[in-house]
Amino acid sequence: MIEVVLNDRLGKKVRVKCNGDDTIGDLKKLVAAQTGTRAEKIRIQKWYNIYKDHITLSDYEIHDGMGLELYYN
Amino acid sequence: MANRTDPSAKSIHGTNPQNLVEKIVRSKVYQHTYWKEQCFGLTAETLVDKAMELDHLGGTYGGTRKPTPFICLVLKMLQIQPEKEIVVEFIKNEDHKYVRVLGAFYLRLTGTVMDVYQYLEPLYNDYRKIRRKQADGKFSLTRVDEFMDELLTTDYSCDIALPRVQKRWVLEQAGTLEPRKSALEDDFEEDEEKEEDEPADISEVDYYHKRSPTRDKDRDRRHDNYNHHRDRRDYDRGRGRDRDRDRDRDRDRDRERDHHHLKDSDYSRDRDRDRDRDRDRDRDRDRRDRDRGRDRRERDERKRHRGSMSPPRRRGDVERDEPKKKKEKKEKKNDGTDHPDPEIAEANRLRASLGLKPLKL
């Protein structure tokens, strides 16, 4: 189980517990449940790399405590 | 300049009509070349020509959320605000299905509740295929009536939040709307008559008497399950509702056959053996997907078993399998949501509601 921090730099900072083998799509659903936006509207990035929905967190080498950028579509 | 709403346009749902599309999607449309090139200076007439050129539906797609021409035209319609008669003409147009869908979507966004139900429900009879672009850029197939159902029942479609409409039954109770008369009602009545006339199997007749004949849904499901009935294996594989119904039917059947007492015991023994064999197979498949810890435990058990000299007895297997099955059921329930740590339990509950596996600790 890892805990990821998502920050949109406009006031929304969310800590989400998830598995390493969850996909980004699953992570978006968890974030949507916590923030109240829709999962399809969320975009997760790291600098200019937009993370794709079907790839797992472990494949993106997202480890415990790592921060991701939260943007909206 | 080009993006401003017509100053003579009315406000819809209390706001500038273009605000029905939310800010981010709107900005994407404004920046898109289709909007800049094709949608500049469109009027209601020229808009029809553009609408006839449409060949798919959809919201935004891709990593950068590009808007589809459909959404661009919807926003254009919101900007110029054509008259209601024109929109109704769009909907009544039989030749071009995308013009129809565009008109229906616009009416769903801007029309009153009565208008929405009045004009969109006839479109339930249109079952032509339409292409839909999904969020990942791939196309999917849907039909006009499915899309209408989505517009009438959900509150989000094609990346636009649809304004709230009251449920049909609320309006029916208030008397403003009549109960829906489906175009297929006549077909259903014919089917009902046909079923009552046909000389049915004995088993069929029994169920017929036991269940109320007016439950259409059950009847359809029953029809589908008939073939499964013959094959006892599929019986046991049925999950959830199917399994309960099959089990009920089993019990009914046994009750009926009580006078064949001896045969009954043979019957049940065979079924138990089949059931256990099936459960073994299913469980083996599940086992592969489970935690490594449990696999290790299994491996140890098997090693221990291999060490023993006695050959595997069939009855012994059956007995061992029953407690294993019970343990599995318990473990399945405990999976996640009964964790002592309340945070993790809540996280697991959320994950279960989203359809995800529980957290691996």
Side-chain angles (χ1 to χ4, degrees):
Chain A
M1 176 186 82
I2 58 179
E3 192 167 27
V4 186
V5 186
L6 290 108
N7 191 356
D8 78 342
R9 306 222 166 229
L10 293 170
K12 236 176 244 179
K13 194 163 177 184
V14 175
R15 299 179 75 91
V16 180
K17 288 193 189 20
C18 48
N19 283 334
D21 62 353
D22 281 343
T23 61
I24 295 282
D26 299 338
L27 181 62
K28 285 186 185 176
K29 286 189 208 163
L30 291 166
V31 171
Q34 266 186 272
T35 59
T37 24
R38 282 182 193 274
E40 309 92 54
K41 296 253 163 243
I42 291 177
R43 197 168 77 214
I44 298 180
Q45 275 181 236
K46 190 100 182 133
W47 198 229
Y48 283 120
N49 300 317
I50 302 177
Y51 283 174
K52 297 206 199 314
D53 282 1
H54 57 277
I55 301 184
T56 62
L57 296 181
S58 52
D59 287 341
Y60 270 130
E61 303 209 2
I62 296 175
H63 303 300
D64 191 23
M66 202 153 132
L68 297 172
E69 293 156 36
L70 188 61
Y71 288 94
Y72 299 99
N73 271 327
Chain B
M1 177 60 208
N3 294 338
R4 259 200 306 182
T5 317
D6 186 17
S8 61
K10 305 172 281 167
S11 77
I12 296 197
H13 295 288
T15 174
N16 181 348
Q18 285 197 82
N19 287 353
L20 283 172
V21 181
E22 52 164 48
K23 184 80 171 76
I24 295 180
V25 178
R26 223 185 320 144
S27 325
K28 299 275 178 178
V29 175
Y30 291 157
Q31 292 157 9
H32 197 239
T33 48
Y34 186 81
W35 173 268
K36 290 183 185 166
E37 292 170 4
Q38 317 283 350
C39 297
F40 186 77
L42 275 189
T43 62
E45 296 87 28
T46 44
L47 191 110
V48 187
D49 302 329
K50 290 279 174 224
M52 289 200 288
E53 288 166 21
L54 276 178
D55 69 345
H56 63 272
L57 282 184
T60 54
Y61 63 93
T64 48
R65 311 312 289 180
K66 288 179 71 174
T68 56
F70 182 78
I71 282 282
C72 296
L73 286 180
V74 170
L75 192 59
K76 195 70 195 178
M77 284 180 85
L78 284 170
Q79 189 184 31
I80 60 178
Q81 269 207 333
E83 308 278 315
K84 187 170 151 199
E85 290 80 33
I86 301 183
V87 181
V88 174
E89 275 310 308
F90 272 39
I91 297 179
K92 287 196 182 149
N93 182 330
E94 291 267 339
D95 303 325
H96 304 271
K97 41 196 180 181
Y98 291 104
V99 175
R100 214 174 202 192
V101 172
L102 181 68
F105 196 80
Y106 178 78
L107 190 65
R108 173 67 175 86
L109 288 178
T110 57
T112 62
V113 180
M114 295 303 300
D115 284 340
V116 167
Y117 278 112
Q118 189 186 353
Y119 290 111
L120 262 57
E121 278 192 345
L123 289 181
Y124 270 141
N125 302 337
D126 187 348
Y127 45 82
R128 287 178 289 186
K129 293 187 206 172
I130 45 179
R131 214 178 307 162
R132 189 171 191 167
K133 197 150 195 167
Q134 291 163 317
D136 55 6
K138 297 197 186 123
F139 285 101
S140 76
L141 192 66
T142 181
R143 291 177 190 261
V144 177
D145 52 356
E146 281 177 36
F147 187 62
M148 291 302 129
D149 192 45
E150 188 185 322
L151 287 184
L152 285 173
T153 49
T154 60
D155 58 357
Y156 191 77
S157 172
C158 292
D159 277 342
I160 296 182
L162 307 171
R164 289 286 167 87
V165 283
Q166 286 127 333
K167 302 270 176 198
R168 204 169 205 294
W169 60 269
V170 173
L171 293 170
E172 281 174 23
Q173 273 189 349
T176 42
L177 212 61
E178 286 169 13
R180 192 165 99 81
K181 193 175 187 312
S182 164
L184 298 172
E185 241 178 51
D186 303 327
D187 292 344
F188 273 142
E189 280 168 18
E190 278 176 29
D191 272 350
E192 263 189 59
E193 288 169 15
K194 263 195 208 164
E195 275 189 28
E196 286 171 14
D197 292 339
E198 257 178 36
D201 285 352
I202 305 172
S203 46
E204 219 172 307
V205 168
D206 282 342
Y207 300 134
Y208 222 80
H209 289 316
K210 285 202 172 124
R211 294 250 163 97
S212 67
T214 54
R215 290 175 71 191
D216 289 334
K217 279 189 219 149
D218 262 9
R219 205 187 305 140
D220 289 337
R221 246 186 262 135
R222 232 184 290 138
H223 270 288
D224 289 340
N225 279 334
Y226 268 140
N227 300 326
H228 294 316
H229 246 294
R230 305 296 162 81
D231 190 2
R232 240 181 275 144
R233 295 251 170 101
D234 285 338
Y235 239 60
D236 298 323
R237 286 231 184 96
R239 297 244 154 115
R241 235 184 281 149
D242 283 341
R243 190 190 257 153
D244 285 346
R245 216 180 312 117
D246 286 348
R247 230 186 271 145
D248 283 345
R249 280 205 203 115
D250 251 2
R251 261 183 247 135
D252 285 348
R253 248 206 200 149
D254 287 346
R255 246 179 264 140
E256 287 158 27
R257 298 214 187 147
D258 255 342
H259 48 284
H260 298 299
H261 187 64
L262 288 165
K263 279 193 187 169
D264 209 12
S265 55
D266 287 346
Y267 191 73
S268 50
R269 207 200 299 152
D270 282 347
R271 210 186 317 135
D272 279 338
R273 214 177 283 149
D274 273 353
R275 219 182 256 160
D276 288 329
R277 225 183 285 143
D278 287 341
R279 279 208 206 99
D280 269 350
R281 218 182 293 142
D282 284 346
R283 212 176 320 123
D284 282 340
R285 242 179 271 135
D286 287 347
R287 228 181 255 164
R288 252 180 264 140
D289 300 337
R290 282 248 175 83
D291 287 347
R292 257 186 247 133
R294 212 169 285 140
D295 278 347
R296 235 179 269 137
R297 243 182 284 138
E298 305 289 356
R299 243 180 278 142
D300 289 345
E301 271 186 44
R302 264 184 241 134
K303 276 194 189 152
R304 259 184 270 130
H305 186 73
R306 249 184 254 142
S308 76
M309 282 291 140
S310 56
R313 285 178 297 137
R314 224 201 216 162
R315 232 173 271 154
D317 278 351
V318 170
E319 283 167 2
R320 213 182 304 134
D321 290 335
E322 294 276 52
K324 257 191 198 165
K325 199 207 127 227
K326 279 189 205 147
K327 210 196 279 178
E328 237 186 73
K329 258 194 187 157
K330 266 199 210 148
E331 275 171 320
K332 268 192 189 147
K333 262 193 215 164
N334 292 349
D335 249 358
T337 53
D338 286 8
H339 200 270
D341 186 349
E343 266 187 47
I344 298 187
E346 190 179 326
N348 280 328
R349 238 175 286 138
L350 173 63
R351 290 176 71 96
S353 70
L354 290 172
L356 301 172
K357 286 191 218 156
L359 289 171
K360 281 188 214 152
L361 300 160

